[in-house]
Amino acid sequence: VAAAWASVPFPALHGSSLRDALCAHQQDVPWKLLASCRERKGSSCFAQAVVLRGVGKDKHIRQPRSPLPAWESTEHILQCYLHTAFPGAFSTCHVLEQPCYTQPPYPQFFSPRVSRQGFLLDKPPTCSPAAVESIPVLAALQSAPVLHTLLYGLYKDLQKLNTRRCASFFSAGVEHDDFQEALHELRTLSQCYETEFEAGESEDEADSD
C-alpha cells in the first residue's frame, strides 16, 4: 500500500536553484498528501519513491556557485534532501528534465505569480499574465504511518455498515462471513503501518466510541 503526494506546480522561484527551492522548505516538505486524510506536520515514512520533472537542467533554474563538486547531480541534491527530511527511510528519486505541459484543454487555475514556464515570480506581473504552458511537478509514493490512519478509518466506516440493509449486495455472491473476514484483514493491514503515535490515537478513538 502506498500514499500519493504531489506538488503541482513544484514551488521553485524563477531563476533559483533546486537547492534553494528545497532549502526554503526545511521545516515541511513542499508537497501535499492527495488523500482525504488529516495530514500531520513533520510526519515520517518508511520508504518512498519520488519523481521530479522540469527542474533538472532547465535554463530557468541556475545551479548556484557552491564549494561542492561540479559532478553533483540534480538527483544527488534531491536524494540528500530526502535523507535529511526522512532520516532512516529508504528513499529513491528520479529527475526528468521535461516538464508537464499545460496547454489547452488543461485548466488555467494557476496564481498570477506563476510564470509561463510554471515558476514562481517575486511579485505578480503588472500586465495580464500569460497562460501557463508548462509546470515543474514533484510526485511521491510513500509507505508511511499515514496509511494506518487511512486504512483504519476505512475499517471503522465499513464496520458501521448495517449489512441487513445490503440484501442486494450479498445476493450478488458476497458471503457475510467473507465480508467479516475482509474487515478483519483490513484492520490487520492497517496495523502494519502503525507507530506508537498512531497506536495512541487508535486507543483514543476506541475510548471515544
Side-chain angles (χ1 to χ4, degrees):
V1 182
W5 305 66
S7 182
V8 183
F10 179 74
L13 285 172
H14 182 85
S16 69
S17 67
L18 174 61
R19 185 185 286 103
D20 293 337
L22 294 174
C23 287
H25 295 85
Q26 289 184 336
Q27 301 300 321
D28 198 11
V29 293
W31 54 86
K32 299 295 182 182
L33 180 65
L34 299 184
S36 57
C37 173
R38 179 168 56 89
E39 187 178 343
R40 193 169 69 251
K41 188 175 182 180
S43 59
S44 60
C45 78
F46 310 122
Q48 62 183 337
V50 180
V51 175
L52 177 63
R53 297 188 57 170
V55 182
K57 298 179 181 179
D58 193 284
K59 62 182 180 180
H60 298 283
I61 297 292
R62 300 190 307 269
Q63 293 297 328
R65 296 178 181 178
S66 170
L68 294 174
W71 49 259
E72 185 182 51
S73 64
T74 307
E75 286 88 350
H76 181 72
I77 295 173
L78 181 57
Q79 190 77 46
C80 289
Y81 174 80
L82 295 175
H83 283 312
T84 302
F86 303 95
F90 174 77
S91 300
T92 180
C93 67
H94 188 59
V95 176
L96 302 174
E97 293 185 27
Q98 188 177 40
C100 290
Y101 295 104
T102 57
Q103 284 106 349
Y106 197 95
Q108 291 291 316
F109 50 68
F110 303 102
S111 164
R113 285 191 57 204
V114 178
S115 71
R116 181 179 298 180
Q117 290 77 28
F119 297 102
L120 299 178
L121 302 172
D122 293 327
K123 55 184 179 180
T126 55
C127 57
S128 179
V132 179
E133 297 179 353
S134 63
I135 54 174
V137 172
L138 184 143
L141 290 176
Q142 285 188 350
S143 174
V146 69
L147 290 167
H148 166 75
T149 304
L150 290 168
L151 295 172
Y152 188 75
L154 177 59
Y155 161 77
K156 295 291 287 183
D157 289 340
L158 292 174
Q159 192 182 40
K160 297 175 183 177
L161 183 66
N162 186 354
T163 55
R164 295 179 180 178
R165 294 186 175 183
C166 302
S168 60
F169 178 72
F170 288 100
S171 65
V174 179
E175 297 292 339
H176 180 77
D177 290 343
D178 292 340
F179 178 76
Q180 293 300 321
E181 182 180 354
L183 272 183
H184 176 73
E185 292 178 351
L186 182 60
R187 180 171 185 174
T188 301
L189 181 61
S190 74
Q191 293 170 346
C192 295
Y193 303 93
E194 188 176 32
T195 63
E196 293 182 1
F197 185 87
E198 280 74 23
E201 282 191 337
S202 298
E203 292 175 0
D204 294 340
E205 291 175 358
D207 293 339
S208 64
D209 292 343

